Amino acid sequence: MQIIQQVLFVVALGAIGYLLFKRGSFIWRNITLGKDVKLNPEEKSERLKTTMLIAFGQKKMFARPMVGFMHFMIYAGFLLINIEVLEIVLDGLLGTHRLFSSTLGEFYSFLINFFEVVALLVVISCVLFLVRRNILRIARFHKPEMKGWPTSDANIILIWEIALMFALYTMNATDSILQSRGIAHYPVVGPDGFAVSQFLIPIYNGLSDSALVALERSAWWVHIIGILSFAVYITYSKHLHIFLAFPNTYYSKLRPKGEMDNMDAVTKEVKIMLGEPVDESGEEEEVGTFGAKDVKDLSWVNIMNAYSCTECGRCTSECPANITGKKLSPRKIMMDTRDRAEEVGHNIDKHGADHEDGKSLYGDHITKEELMACTSCNACTQACPVNIDPLSIILEMRRYVAMEESGTPMEWNAMFQNIENNQAPWAFPPTDRFKWADDLKVKE
Amino acid sequence: MDMLKVPTMADMAAEGKEPEVLFWVGCAGSFDDRYKRVTISFIKILNAAGISFAVLGPEESCTGDPARRAGNEFLFQMQAMTNIEVLNGYNVKTIVTACPHCFNTIKNEYPALGGNYEVIHHSTYLQQLINNGKVKMKEGGEFKGKKITYHDSCYLGRANDVYEAPRKVLEALDADLVEMKRCRTKGLCCGAGGAQMFKEAESGDKEINIERTEEALATGANVIASACPFCMTMMTDGVKNKEKENDVKVLDLAELIAISQDKN
């Protein structure tokens, strides 16, 4: 019997490992469709510091303290439960039960009690999150881009997490009874029950030894298969942030938020126009598209940003355009980018690398109206708990609209002309520029 | 009016002199009738403090900020390189400007094109002048005890982390500083950044500047202090829209200081 369970466990682990690898390579390939990013090697320590503060420390989550606290509980639960999962995986492979109990002694039952309390906080947080989403209906969870899958995805995750915690409690409660009855294979670590699962003991106390063993085994399998399949599920879900938040913060923008990236290809052209010397030493850079029309015109960090987005909508809830009812939603920009990256990825898998489906991120997913409404105020980048930068995608697409499509609004075209002819965005003669000083002037 | 010194870089160069700072006036400061008064206030402060400064005058040109943010990188770089040539020609080291958009562009975006300067926004510069005693306020100043609310400019605050300097300047007025609900990192944009100043907004339920003005008026402040020409226009329009222009004034930090300054 025992050996069958071990074999089944190895098969399950292998199958899930294979699915994770396949899905992981798909996502990795999609992210690397983006353009390369040059990083300054001197920034390494500052980047690590950012990851520690923002991802590990969840600093920006606490901009909204109550939610920050509840999220921190689920996060702490996730980290700690991994220690427990390690034991479960080893038990599954070796056919042991509570492998760490003999080495850790007294400390082991303390740990299990501690995990149970953390698990309870996870359950409470998940329930409150479900209430906020579905009963209180917090506005930012019910924007147009949240219809359908994004909303059910969020609920599935929360319910799944609650179910996993209950499997854990069932497992521990039945285990405690089996321990108190002195059944072989169940080492005594908490015969009177653990911190939370002890309250479930009365429910199961009347069961026979064999029924209890069956129940304990079932809960054990549900718990571990639940966790492993959850790992596969999240690669299809907004929940991928639990992994990508770490690299995402590491590669986030360190320079001042107001700084836009320089387009070196343009610099060369402008220097030629102005008759300035051009540095020819560098390798001939391939000038592709000016700005971004599709995901491959973005940087790979932009695409990783999209896969890291958990659709919390803090960006959108602080976006001045969105607040005043305009179509722009920074969260939608990120969701569209992810959807398009997946679409392009599937096309490549089906039809080969050069396949064109005649669609693009700009036009088919994101409209000009959305792009034009952005005030570049950086409220979205400031609000994002994992340092996603929707603004850089918006500005890259505006570059496409202006330079490839010549599609900027008439008023902007007039502004461009004024700058060219009058050296100011307004139509004033440049000779009037210093007129303000006419009545004051005493020159030194 | 007392005659004020407004030397240009060209005048100074002709005399073989180099000023300590260049005052970058910006397009709004040069052409916008309302914002010209801010420029003149700042000139008064520089004169009173005895600062060695100069302006570019007719040689100044748009930094290219609105062109870049509207997507026209070519036009931006043409402007930037031309300006950098002028600035480097005069061996400029330090630039002070009252416009957060000029400040951001020259400080953060010109270095990639060969323009490296110390760039200071006038809020920080005014704070320094107050701290080192070069600017002194009148006893029982104009704004003592008056309610003032400060509207954060995105290009000063979130874009460049300048949150405290403007508030310190206002504190020096002995005013009663009241904060709006959305301030500092959570400040709400006036609606004009990212080249929105130069076109109609996309359709929605409301104009952004009206939303922001309502929030400012809700504080009960007599003065909305701004530190950006775009913010000033948007907030002034908002106050007019709400027909509150007789009760609430929109004033730049430089104007508040110039009014409160001890001239002796």
Side-chain angles (χ1 to χ4, degrees), chain A residues 81-99:
Chain A
I81 290 253
N82 279 322
I83 305 173
E84 202 223 352
V85 168
L86 177 69
E87 188 192 40
I88 291 182
V89 169
L90 289 174
D91 279 343
L93 290 174
L94 304 172
T96 48
H97 189 71
R98 297 197 184 270
L99 180 66

Side-chain angles (χ1 to χ4, degrees), chain B residues 40-74:
Chain B
I40 292 165
S41 295
F42 194 60
I43 292 284
K44 282 183 190 164
I45 296 168
L46 293 174
N47 271 270
I51 306 293
S52 149
F53 78 98
V55 296
L56 279 171
E59 284 187 280
E60 199 185 270
S61 183
C62 174
T63 59
D65 158 83
R68 178 171 246 197
R69 265 143 265 272
N72 193 336
E73 182 76 4
F74 276 97

Side-chain angles (χ1 to χ4, degrees), chain B residues 2-126:
Chain B
D2 295 339
M3 296 300 262
L4 296 165
K5 288 179 202 159
V6 195
T8 62
M9 292 300 285
D11 297 336
M12 287 217 146
E15 292 172 44
K17 285 196 250 175
E18 275 181 16
E20 275 169 39
V21 297
L22 166 70
F23 170 31
W24 183 277
V25 181
C27 302
S30 305
F31 292 115
D32 181 89
D33 281 336
R34 173 69 188 86
Y35 216 67
K36 279 190 220 168
R37 306 213 304 262
V38 176
T39 306
I40 292 165
S41 295
F42 194 60
I43 292 284
K44 282 183 190 164
I45 296 168
L46 293 174
N47 271 270
I51 306 293
S52 149
F53 78 98
V55 296
L56 279 171
E59 284 187 280
E60 199 185 270
S61 183
C62 174
T63 59
D65 158 83
R68 178 171 246 197
R69 265 143 265 272
N72 193 336
E73 182 76 4
F74 276 97
L75 182 53
F76 163 73
Q77 292 203 13
M78 291 286 281
Q79 288 299 119
M81 281 191 221
T82 314
N83 283 327
I84 288 167
E85 204 170 23
V86 172
L87 292 168
N88 289 353
Y90 285 120
N91 195 28
V92 169
K93 297 273 186 301
T94 310
I95 299 173
V96 178
T97 180
C99 174
H101 295 265
C102 297
F103 164 71
N104 176 68
T105 303
I106 303 175
K107 175 174 174 282
N108 298 323
E109 297 178 352
Y110 277 22
L113 298 166
N116 295 285
Y117 322 99
E118 184 194 6
V119 190
I120 310 169
H121 184 255
H122 81 324
S123 57
T124 308
Y125 196 70
L126 288 171

Side-chain angles (χ1 to χ4, degrees), chain B residues 188-202:
Chain B
L188 183 76
C189 177
C190 69
Q196 299 296 344
M197 184 76 189
F198 306 103
K199 71 166 182 58
E200 287 296 314
E202 321 318 302

Side-chain angles (χ1 to χ4, degrees), chain A residues 43-55 250:
Chain A
E43 292 170 347
K44 218 170 178 175
S45 66
E46 207 187 335
R47 292 192 175 279
L48 279 172
K49 199 179 134 198
T50 308
T51 308
M52 290 310 291
L53 279 175
I54 310 288
Y250 183 84

Side-chain angles (χ1 to χ4, degrees), chain B residues 133-200:
Chain B
K134 286 194 175 163
V135 162
K136 287 195 183 75
M137 308 297 171
K138 278 185 275 198
E139 278 293 317
E142 208 83 23
F143 300 97
K144 191 175 172 158
K146 280 210 176 140
K147 262 193 185 178
I148 298 184
T149 190
Y150 171 67
H151 164 73
D152 281 284
S153 146
C154 307
Y155 272 78
L156 208 52
R158 279 189 298 264
N160 287 292
D161 280 325
V162 180
Y163 295 109
E164 295 315 315
R167 290 179 164 81
K168 289 272 187 288
V169 170
L170 293 172
E171 279 167 23
L173 299 173
D174 246 351
D176 178 12
L177 192 56
V178 285
E179 292 290 354
M180 285 183 250
K181 204 174 153 205
R182 287 174 282 204
C183 61
R184 294 193 171 87
T185 55
K186 285 177 172 274
L188 183 76
C189 177
C190 69
Q196 299 296 344
M197 184 76 189
F198 306 103
K199 71 166 182 58
E200 287 296 314

Side-chain angles (χ1 to χ4, degrees), chain B residues 209-210 213 232-242 250:
Chain B
N209 68 322
I210 303 296
T213 306
M232 167 159 282
T233 304
M234 299 307 266
M235 298 308 282
T236 309
D237 287 352
V239 170
K240 271 187 202 144
N241 181 282
K242 296 277 160 193
V250 182

